[in-house]
Amino acid sequence: MMVISFLQGLARDGYEIPPIIAMSGATQRPGLEQLLVTSKDLGATATLTKPFEPAELLILINQLLERPT
């Protein structure tokens, strides 16, 4: 989450930043699902829960790259 905050700070300073995909694994553990929610609140563009198929990640990346800026 520190990385997301850092990147958002760069964006506020006028730098262009890429879309941010936050990933978390083992969401059965208490609190990890909340990390993804918090990541979105901090500015993550999308979230992905591990384990995931490589094709899922590629689809998400392509969707984010096709979005208008």
Side-chain angles (χ1 to χ4, degrees), residues 12-61:
R12 285 189 293 278
D13 291 340
Y15 292 93
E16 187 174 336
I17 61 169
I20 302 167
I21 301 172
M23 296 181 199
S24 179
T27 55
Q28 302 84 339
R29 289 184 28 209
L32 286 180
E33 187 65 35
Q34 183 59 40
L35 285 175
L36 292 178
V37 172
T38 302
S39 296
K40 285 288 275 189
D41 291 343
L42 287 173
T45 312
T47 60
L48 195 58
T49 304
K50 298 178 197 172
F52 56 85
E53 294 295 321
E56 286 180 81
L57 178 59
L58 290 174
I59 289 168
L60 182 55
I61 290 170

